[in-house]
């Protein structure tokens, strides 16, 4: 008799076997094939370990050593929602909640992936690589819902919010939403995505985004990761940008016990642009990881990356950034900077920039710095009557300025500034 | 107002101040002159409470309170102000935001209402006009890209806005042209009154022509070796420190 695994990859594979005939698209052949293939990949590799180059600094023991349950099939209670000035799609435990969403009159097509699934052949899985990224395999195997966003050519669709909540629950749910975003030629859209949950609830949020930006289109994608203290956030974004298009990702990676913000961007047409900026903030007991991978696969493209990490207490931060300039990608203009500020002697940052350049006419620069708050700066502010905690907050904010100012999109910047201020208020005493 | 008694201080284990005694009554401006390495800047940092400046003996009382037991921000709130010799640059910290935060921190501690951005702007504009500072200096990060003279003017703007009871000017005159020097002097002179005192640290008599001190002290090897009226500054200018040191 074989014991049923309750933890690790085997538990998730067991769940897949059990749910296989009931998951959305279970009777649709191509969906079944997609899931089975992903399950094979996940079975072969399991959860990433630190022996994998891409996971050298982030240990998933908190995931593999714990048991996770199903999200409740129906959530009757309506959680309190923060006010918003924009159309908003709300997810609870990874499931789209039309009753909580306000999407009337938006200039874009938006629907739940669960409902749209049979029509998404060739789109879902177009960019994700379950064979390379085990978490994308896990997501493909078990996704139940997500958001499908489509902006027609030439349409300026304004701002859309996506709010992902974890419900108050003792089931430690694992959810794997799959989101698809596609912008037609010359279209534009701003997405503000917030992921949050109850302070003390245990859960695993494993979203995958597949984003296609057509010629001349522009997507600003602001992400506020503010999961609860016991939450685990493992997110993978895949984006493909055609000629003259722009993908502008800004991520505030500030919540969760363990958070990985993994972004893969491919610039596939001339003069495409990628902006990947972010702020990571971690306090006692937190681990935050940003891993970016950028493919310059066409000439005359540019990319800008500025990541800032602030670590307080006993916390750990990771930045890994790979830029791959293909042979065809002449006149590439690439820039990557990552800087860390350590507010405590117990904080640790690992940073690994990686450039692979196969074209000969390119401009690519990268840099990394690690430092503490400057004692002279702190003394100067205090000598003017500013209390120590407030002076520190001012200097941390100043450290983050460059990354925040890189955000061109006003609603994203406002949300970000509030997110940073909120983090600091929570950490201020400990730091 | 400020009473320094037998002050001994070390920096990185090195003895810099060796029994410095000095009393500055309310309403008076005193000047300290002395050669390089005599302990002038150390004195100013000890008064402001900078880390790494260790007092090994002696006391400093400020309006009857033990100054050395206070945190730097508590000293500022109590009315102590140091105009830095080399003001730091703070990239990412807007000058207006910094100035208003400082002003409100002090107002809050004094039990006064905080002022909003509009009120602050009005106040700052008026002070900046007097100091001949372009308004755009409010928008820039603190001291970033400022010339030496602009940094010193920014210090004077802080002095004027925070209106402390006691100001230490640590070689504020160094590197200033005569116009800027007069602006520094005007700022200090405008604060002079029965409830304001200052300690002006300088190498040159020049500044003291514009801020006429009540007393002049000569600092050498961490002690006051001679004190006198404003004429002592002129004497020093003529004879040099060596002459005074030899006579002391």
């Amino acid at each position: 008799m074989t014991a049923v695994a309750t933890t690790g990859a085997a538990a998730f594979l067991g769940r897949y076997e059990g749910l296989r005939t009931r998951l959305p698209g279970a009777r649709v052949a191509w969906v079944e094939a997609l899931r089975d293939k992903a399950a094979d990949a996940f079975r072969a590799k399991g959860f990433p370990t630190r022996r994998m180059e891409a996971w050298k600094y982030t240990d998933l023991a908190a995931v593999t050593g714990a048991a996770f349950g199903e999200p409740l099939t129906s959530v009757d209670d309506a959680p309190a929602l923060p006010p918003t000035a924009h159309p908003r799609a709300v997810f609870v435990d990874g499931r789209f909640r039309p009753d909580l969403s306000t999407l009337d009159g938006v200039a874009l097509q938006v629907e739940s992936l669960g409902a749209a699934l049979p029509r998404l052949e060739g789109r879902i899985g177009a960019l994700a690589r379950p064979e390379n990224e085990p978490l994308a395999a896990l997501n493909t195997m078990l996704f139940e819902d997500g958001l499908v966003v489509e902006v027609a050519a030439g349409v300026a669709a304004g701002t859309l919010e996506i709010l992902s909540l974890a419900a108050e629950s003792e089931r430690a749910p694992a959810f794997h939403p799959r989101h698809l975003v596609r912008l037609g030629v010359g279209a534009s859209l701003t997405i503000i995505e917030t992921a949050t949950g109850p302070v003390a609830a245990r859960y695993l949020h494993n979203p995958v985004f597949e984003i296609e930006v057509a010629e001349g289109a522009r997507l600003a994608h602001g992400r506020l990761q503010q999961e609860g203290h016991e939450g685990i956030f493992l997110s993978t974004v895949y984006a493909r940008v055609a000629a003259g298009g722009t993908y502008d990702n800004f991520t505030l990676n500030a919540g969760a016990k363990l958070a990985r913000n993994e972004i893969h961007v491919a610039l596939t047409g001339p003069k495409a642009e990628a902006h990947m900026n972010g702020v990571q903030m971690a306090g006692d007991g937190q681990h935050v990881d940003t891993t970016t991978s950028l493919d310059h696969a066409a000439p005359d493209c540019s990319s800008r990356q500025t990541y800032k990490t602030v670590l307080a207490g006993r916390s750990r931060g990771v930045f890994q950034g790979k830029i791959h300039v293909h042979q065809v990608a002449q006149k590439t203009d690439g820039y990557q900077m990552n800087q860390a500020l350590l507010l405590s002697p117990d904080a640790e940052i690992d940073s690994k920039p990686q450039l692979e350049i196969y074209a000969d006419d390119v401009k690519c620069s990268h840099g990394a710095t690690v430092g503490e708050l400057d004692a002279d700066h702190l003394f100067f502010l205090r000598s003017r009557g500013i209390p120590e905690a407030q002076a520190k907050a001012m200097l941390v904010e100043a450290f983050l300025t460059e990354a925040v100012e890189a955000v061109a999109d006003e609603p994203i910047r406002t949300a970000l500034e509030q997110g940073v201020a909120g983090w600091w208020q929570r950490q201020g005493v400990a730091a | 107002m400020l009473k320094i008694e037998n002050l001994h201080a070390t920096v990185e284990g090195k003895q810099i101040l060796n029994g410095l005694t000095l009393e500055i009554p309310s309403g008076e401006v005193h000047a300290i002159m002395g050669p390089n390495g005599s302990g002038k800047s150390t004195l100013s940092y000890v008064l402001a409470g900078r880390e790494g400046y260790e007092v090994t003996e002696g006391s400093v009382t400020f309006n009857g309170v033990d100054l050395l037991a206070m945190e730097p921000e508590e000293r500022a709130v109590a009315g102590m102000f140091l105009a830095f010799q080399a003001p730091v640059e703070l990239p990412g910290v807007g000058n207006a935001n910094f100035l208003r935060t400082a002003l409100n921190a002090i107002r809050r501690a004094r039990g006064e209402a905080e002022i909003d951005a509009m009120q602050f702007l009005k106040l700052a504009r008026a002070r900046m006009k007097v100091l001949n500072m372009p308004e755009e200096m409010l928008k820039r990060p603190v001291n970033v890209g400022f010339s030496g003279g602009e940094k010193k003017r920014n210090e004077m703007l802080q002095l004027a806005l925070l209106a402390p009871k006691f100001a230490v000017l640590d070689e504020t005159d160094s590197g200033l042209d005569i116009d800027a020097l007069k602006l520094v002097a005007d700022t200090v002179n405008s604060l002079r009154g029965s409830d304001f005192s200052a300690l002006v640290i300088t190498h040159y008599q020049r500044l003291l022509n514009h801020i006429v001190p009540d007393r002049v002290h000569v600092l050498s090897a961490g002690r006051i070796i001679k004190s006198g009226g404003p004429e002592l500054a002129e004497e020093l200018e003529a004879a040099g420190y060596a002459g005074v040191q030899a006579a002391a």
Side-chain angles (χ1 to χ4, degrees):
Chain A
M1 196 177 121
T2 326
V4 176
T6 54
T7 61
F12 285 96
L13 285 161
R15 178 162 311 140
Y16 175 59
E17 292 309 324
L19 288 173
R20 205 168 162 272
T21 55
R22 284 180 287 143
L23 284 166
R27 278 173 297 278
V28 182
W30 69 265
V31 178
E32 268 188 324
L34 189 78
R35 291 195 195 269
D36 281 344
K37 206 175 159 208
D40 288 343
F42 191 66
R43 195 174 293 114
K45 283 198 175 156
F47 276 103
T49 69
R50 295 185 57 188
R51 286 190 298 276
M52 284 175 72
E53 186 64 17
W55 289 85
K56 196 172 167 187
Y57 304 113
T58 294
D59 191 327
L60 289 182
V63 180
T64 57
F68 291 94
E70 296 292 308
L72 290 168
T73 47
S74 74
V75 182
D76 293 326
D77 63 325
L81 301 177
T84 179
H86 307 289
R88 176 165 65 187
V90 178
F91 287 78
V92 177
D93 286 352
R95 292 196 172 114
F96 181 58
R97 289 285 298 267
D99 56 318
L100 302 175
S101 302
T102 45
L103 294 166
D104 298 336
V106 291
L108 47 82
Q109 197 188 326
V110 52
E111 57 189 325
S112 115
L113 179 125
L117 190 56
R119 289 182 279 112
L120 295 172
E121 183 172 11
R123 275 199 64 193
I124 191 162
L127 302 179
R129 301 176 307 183
E131 66 286 3
N132 288 2
E133 280 88 46
L135 294 172
L138 178 63
N139 176 286
T140 304
M141 194 168 86
L142 288 168
F143 72 78
E144 290 180 41
D145 211 343
L147 202 64
V148 182
V149 178
E150 184 108 28
V151 184
V155 173
T159 298
L160 171 69
E161 280 189 31
I162 303 174
L163 176 61
S164 167
L165 299 170
E168 195 75 66
S169 147
E170 312 216 321
R171 301 166 62 93
F175 41 98
H176 317 268
R178 184 66 157 259
H179 305 292
L180 306 182
V181 180
R182 186 157 72 179
L183 270 64
V185 174
S188 66
L189 174 66
T190 293
I191 291 177
I192 301 178
E193 182 200 346
T194 303
T196 187
V199 171
R202 237 169 36 78
Y203 57 92
L204 168 63
H205 183 194
N206 174 38
V208 168
F209 276 79
E210 295 184 87
I211 294 169
E212 295 183 62
V213 178
E215 287 79 6
R218 181 176 197 285
L219 176 63
H221 187 189
R223 315 188 72 202
L224 307 172
Q225 187 279 103
Q226 299 171 307
E227 301 282 15
H229 296 340
E230 296 299 318
I232 294 172
F233 177 80
L234 303 172
S235 152
T236 315
V237 171
Y238 299 90
R240 183 164 66 194
V241 189
T246 300
Y247 177 59
D248 187 344
N249 177 304
F250 188 100
T251 304
L252 173 69
N253 200 20
K257 181 162 112 183
L258 167 64
R260 165 100 155 184
N261 162 37
E262 181 171 327
I263 309 172
H264 300 263
V265 177
L267 302 174
T268 58
K271 297 198 168 152
E273 280 186 40
H275 302 249
M276 293 140 83
N277 300 299
V279 167
Q280 308 198 89
M281 307 179 91
D284 218 22
Q286 278 184 285
H287 180 113
V288 291
D289 173 336
T290 285
T291 294
T292 68
S293 164
L294 179 60
D295 271 298
H296 273 272
D300 298 312
C301 293
S302 67
S303 60
R304 293 282 173 275
Q305 297 183 60
T306 303
Y307 285 95
K308 304 253 183 175
T309 303
V310 178
L311 300 174
R314 187 177 295 275
S315 64
R316 191 152 175 199
V318 178
F319 173 81
Q320 306 183 101
K322 186 155 109 182
I323 302 178
H324 181 142
V325 181
H326 296 240
Q327 202 171 353
V328 295
Q330 300 297 353
K331 306 280 183 197
T332 285
D333 180 0
Y335 169 82
Q336 180 195 85
M337 174 59 78
N338 86 88
Q339 296 181 307
L341 181 62
L342 307 183
L343 299 177
S344 124
D346 298 324
E348 184 184 331
I349 177 82
D350 292 291
S351 123
K352 191 177 74 175
Q354 199 181 341
L355 266 58
E356 290 178 23
I357 301 177
Y358 299 97
D360 49 25
D361 183 13
V362 303
K363 193 167 84 184
C364 251
S365 62
H366 70 95
T369 66
V370 180
E372 299 168 16
L373 284 181
D374 188 306
D376 290 345
H377 293 180
L378 198 56
F379 172 63
F380 177 74
L381 293 174
R382 295 177 71 192
S383 81
R384 294 301 179 247
I386 300 171
E388 187 174 9
Q390 195 181 2
K392 281 183 176 175
M394 286 173 79
L395 294 175
V396 169
E397 205 177 293
F399 169 76
L400 298 176
T401 298
E402 189 192 350
V404 175
E405 283 182 350
V407 181
D409 192 274
E410 194 59 41
I412 295 178
R413 194 183 335 182
T414 305
L416 169 71
E417 283 167 353
Q418 287 165 356
V420 168
W423 184 89
W424 185 262
Q425 272 164 17
R426 290 193 302 278
Q427 297 295 326
V429 184
Chain B
M1 179 175 286
L2 187 75
K3 197 168 174 187
I4 305 172
E5 277 184 299
N6 192 30
L7 188 64
H8 290 68
T10 59
V11 182
E12 290 171 358
K14 203 175 155 205
Q15 192 77 37
I16 306 289
L17 298 182
N18 280 301
L20 190 150
T21 296
L22 177 64
E23 184 166 359
I24 303 174
S26 287
E28 290 193 10
V29 171
H30 289 204
I32 283 195
M33 305 180 79
N36 288 331
S38 59
K40 302 192 298 295
S41 286
T42 297
L43 173 61
S44 69
Y45 288 142
V46 166
L47 293 179
R50 187 177 190 148
E51 242 175 75
Y53 290 73
E54 201 189 337
V55 173
T56 51
E57 205 183 329
S59 67
V60 180
T61 45
F62 183 45
N63 289 324
V65 182
D66 178 5
L67 185 75
L68 300 177
M70 299 162 92
E71 296 291 338
E73 57 267 40
E74 294 171 334
R75 299 182 194 203
V77 161
M80 174 63 67
F81 180 93
L82 168 62
F84 287 82
Q85 188 182 141
V88 292
E89 298 183 2
L90 299 179
V93 180
N95 206 21
N97 178 38
F98 155 66
L99 292 166
R100 188 159 75 92
T101 305
L103 182 55
N104 277 334
I106 283 176
R107 291 178 68 94
R108 207 162 50 227
R110 287 180 189 156
E112 295 168 6
E114 296 191 24
I115 62 168
D116 65 26
M118 287 310 293
Q119 291 170 302
F120 167 76
L121 208 58
K122 208 174 150 192
L123 201 63
R125 274 183 186 143
R127 298 293 186 189
M128 290 176 85
K129 204 171 166 194
V130 175
L131 283 163
N132 201 12
M133 290 170 76
E135 204 180 308
E136 57 100 24
M137 283 174 77
L138 279 180
K139 294 186 187 124
R140 284 151 64 179
V142 179
N143 293 331
V144 176
F146 288 21
S147 69
E150 286 174 330
K151 285 180 184 168
K152 297 293 174 67
R153 269 180 234 197
N154 207 29
E155 292 290 287
M156 289 304 103
L157 176 60
Q158 291 158 48
L159 175 61
L161 284 170
L162 302 182
K165 287 190 168 67
F166 193 97
V168 181
L169 274 66
D170 185 7
E171 295 191 28
T172 299
D173 53 338
S174 64
L176 291 190
D177 61 32
I178 188 69
D179 293 336
L181 198 72
K182 279 185 182 157
L183 290 172
V184 169
D186 288 347
T187 308
V188 175
N189 289 333
S190 73
L191 291 168
R192 283 179 97 154
S194 60
D195 198 26
F196 174 80
S197 306
L199 181 62
V200 178
I201 296 173
T202 181
H203 266 302
Y204 308 105
Q205 190 223 336
R206 200 173 61 150
L207 178 63
L208 304 181
N209 291 335
H210 301 283
I211 307 176
V212 179
D214 296 288
R215 300 281 291 164
V216 174
H217 310 278
V218 180
L219 186 65
S220 176
R223 299 186 300 120
I224 303 290
I225 57 163
K226 189 167 183 179
S227 299
E231 72 286 349
L232 179 56
E234 288 166 36
E235 202 180 301
L236 280 167
E237 193 85 358
Y241 294 120
V244 176
Q245 277 165 332

